[in-house]
Amino acid sequence: MPLLTLDGDRYGRTLTGAAVPVTEPATGASLGELRLAAPADVPPAAARAAAARPVWARLPYAERAAVLRRAGDLFTEHAGELSEWLVRESGSIPGKAAFELHVAAQECYEAAALASRPVGQVLTGEAPRLSFTRRVPAGTVGVIAPFNAPLILAIRSTAPALALGNAVLLKPDRRTAVCGGLALAAVFEAAGLPADLLHVLPGGADTGAALVTEPSVRVVSFTGATATGRLVGEAAGRALKRTHLELGGNSALVVLADADVEAAVGLAAWGSFFHQGQVCMTAGRHLVHASLYDEYTERLAAKAESLAVGDPHREQVHLGPLIDAGQRDRVHALVEASTAAGAKLLAGGTYRELFYRPTVLAGVTDDTPAYAEEVFGPVAPVRSFGTLDEAAALAAAGPYGLSLGIVTRDTALGLELADRIPTGIAHINDQTVDDEAVAPFGGVGASGTGSRFGGEANLDAFTELRWTTVRREPAGHPF
């Protein structure tokens, strides 16, 4: 029997939004139908979550941890079924789907471990009393997740929030509402999560806005575009809510003069073309030492031309489709504007339906649109530098600070260079795209509010720190 159904009522609520098809980007075919959440659906879901949460929070930590461990097992046990949804609904190649399922399981296992972490400290003080801190659940957590890695970017907040005694309202992107929303509901239901602790509310921007402003939602975890993140932060700030914003990026891959060009090109192709470049950590700016520039661009263009693009469900391909026509048109407009501004098109720049060819642009400058902006497509703009100082200045330029890759045989020099570049993530001798459940994740500047996800960072993200004192007798005061 399949784990997953599109019947929203199975998960304990009736949504009132429009019924919409679940679309396969590669073919345009309908994979089924689901009902969206309207803004009016948020308050009743929040009320049920608030009513269910205290019992869950008071359970022994071992009982909460057991649910999380079972959820992790289920992602593995049902990998075939869930992988097919990731491939068909989000346009992932099978390898990318397998990676998402692996990370989802690990996120659950790591979250299970959070439940038994020390919850506070005994403090020293001047008064004759017991003084200590204690972490308590934040309450109801709102999670807003995007389409590009729908399972990972939903589970990485949902799992730790639940493990730490919270309830969750999850709003996945409506384009990936099954693999980024209903899949989680199905897994946690089967794992034994009590009813009403997790509500999946697929919908549009108006539903997301209702979630952010819902009074009982005390923490908002948002992953998405920087412009939208600013609006989320502003709305949550007016309500004095804590927000965790993981936003866009335009990450640099720096190839130093001593690098192995063949190895660097292998990293570059993965960093720019993985999942059609629809990754916040994508290598969006290739900075290559002038002595290697010609060979690097030639090899990268040849690599791009060799990659197969097509339907990942029916063909063996390296790149699948972009998520929709709007995204395709935006990518192509940036490429065309860049060539019109003087960039040289070495590979790609063409598409068929939603299948965009991996694209290499040489001769870019600060003003080249595909270099200056986050493309969110399979586009690799390349420019040269002459000195280490120039490389540092180029990599540090711009508003974003999410991920950084540096390729060099001198790892000490790579670390030294990384220290000069504002970034939340730095990889020496690797490209910019990576994620692990145990690692803190996040960016600085326009890339978000710092490393708020992963490992022990989740303790700060989804609990409140309470100071408590205890005296044997009532205290005496001057009046």
Side-chain angles (χ1 to χ4, degrees):
M1 179 179 176
L3 174 73
L4 184 56
T5 174
L6 300 192
D7 179 9
D9 291 342
R10 172 178 168 185
Y11 306 117
R13 76 267 184 259
T14 301
L15 302 180
T16 63
V20 297
V22 178
T23 303
E24 182 179 36
T27 64
S30 174
L31 303 175
E33 187 178 85
L34 60 79
R35 188 166 294 279
L36 297 179
D41 295 319
V42 174
R48 292 196 295 274
R53 191 196 65 78
V55 175
W56 171 248
R58 287 195 298 268
L59 285 179
Y61 74 85
E63 294 187 32
R64 297 199 307 274
V67 172
L68 271 296
R69 285 194 297 270
R70 178 61 180 150
D73 293 343
L74 287 167
F75 279 116
T76 301
E77 292 173 17
H78 294 271
E81 177 188 350
L82 297 176
S83 176
E84 183 170 343
W85 276 108
L86 282 161
V87 169
R88 301 192 69 183
E89 187 187 27
S90 74
S92 300
I93 62 173
K96 189 255 190 184
F99 176 72
E100 284 211 51
L101 287 162
H102 169 75
V103 172
Q106 293 303 313
E107 291 284 358
C108 290
Y109 298 143
E110 288 297 320
L114 287 176
S116 61
R117 295 285 178 91
V119 296
Q121 294 179 315
V122 175
L123 306 176
T124 57
E126 297 179 353
R129 61 189 179 186
L130 173 63
S131 178
F132 62 94
T133 61
R134 180 169 174 263
R135 291 188 179 275
V136 298
T140 299
V141 174
V143 178
I144 302 176
F147 72 86
N148 55 321
L151 182 54
I152 290 177
L153 300 180
I155 195 68
R156 71 174 180 186
S157 293
T158 299
L162 290 171
L164 293 166
N166 301 286
V168 173
L169 304 185
L170 167 62
K171 194 204 84 66
D173 190 297
R174 58 187 296 173
R175 293 168 291 185
T176 50
V178 178
C179 54
L182 297 186
L184 279 76
V187 164
F188 279 108
E189 180 192 56
L193 183 72
D196 285 331
L197 288 169
L198 172 61
H199 294 262
V200 178
L201 303 168
D206 54 353
T207 302
L211 188 154
V212 171
T213 57
E214 164 58 38
S216 65
V217 172
R218 298 311 308 158
V219 174
V220 176
S221 173
F222 172 85
T223 302
T226 297
T228 308
R230 293 185 193 278
L231 297 176
V232 170
E234 290 170 6
R238 286 193 294 272
L240 301 179
K241 298 184 182 187
R242 195 179 345 151
T243 56
H244 307 300
L245 304 176
E246 200 273 282
L247 308 177
N250 193 9
S251 299
L253 179 66
V254 184
V255 182
L256 299 186
D258 65 344
D260 179 316
V261 175
E262 183 177 0
V265 166
L267 296 174
W270 186 263
S272 282
F273 305 143
F274 174 71
H275 195 46
Q276 300 78 262
Q278 298 173 126
V279 182
C280 58
M281 298 169 282
T282 290
R285 297 177 295 152
H286 296 238
L287 308 177
V288 182
H289 191 270
S291 64
L292 307 179
Y293 179 80
D294 290 340
E295 181 183 1
Y296 181 93
T297 53
E298 180 181 346
R299 284 177 176 262
L300 183 57
K303 182 75 169 179
E305 295 286 5
S306 73
L307 298 178
V309 182
D311 181 348
H313 181 58
R314 298 166 181 85
E315 308 170 57
Q316 187 171 351
V317 297
H318 301 97
L319 283 76
L322 294 173
I323 191 66
D324 59 22
Q327 184 63 19
R328 178 204 62 203
D329 293 346
R330 181 182 183 278
V331 170
H332 194 57
L334 285 169
V335 171
E336 288 196 316
S338 297
T339 56
K344 185 177 180 181
L345 181 67
L346 300 184
T350 61
Y351 64 86
R352 174 181 58 84
E353 297 172 337
L354 299 184
F355 303 105
Y356 205 93
R357 289 293 312 172
T359 299
V360 178
L361 296 170
V364 301
T365 68
D366 289 346
D367 298 325
T368 302
Y371 175 87
E373 300 180 37
E374 181 183 32
V375 177
F376 229 63
V379 179
V382 190
R383 70 184 296 179
S384 65
F385 65 86
T387 67
L388 204 64
D389 286 343
E390 185 182 3
L394 288 172
Y400 297 105
L402 182 53
S403 189
L404 170 71
I406 298 173
V407 188
T408 176
R409 288 185 170 91
D410 187 342
T411 55
L413 181 62
L415 287 168
E416 179 184 322
L417 176 60
D419 284 344
R420 301 171 62 182
I421 300 166
T423 184
I425 302 164
H427 300 297
I428 311 302
N429 286 325
D430 207 345
Q431 43 75 48
T432 54
V433 180
D434 204 357
D435 196 6
E436 290 187 27
V438 299
F441 187 97
V444 298
S447 292
T449 51
S451 295
R452 304 295 182 88
F453 305 106
E456 292 191 357
N458 288 319
L459 291 170
D460 290 328
F462 302 116
T463 65
E464 301 289 355
L465 197 59
R466 176 182 296 169
W467 178 39
T468 303
T469 67
V470 179
R471 290 176 178 266
R472 181 181 294 271
E473 302 288 344
H477 293 286
F479 63 86

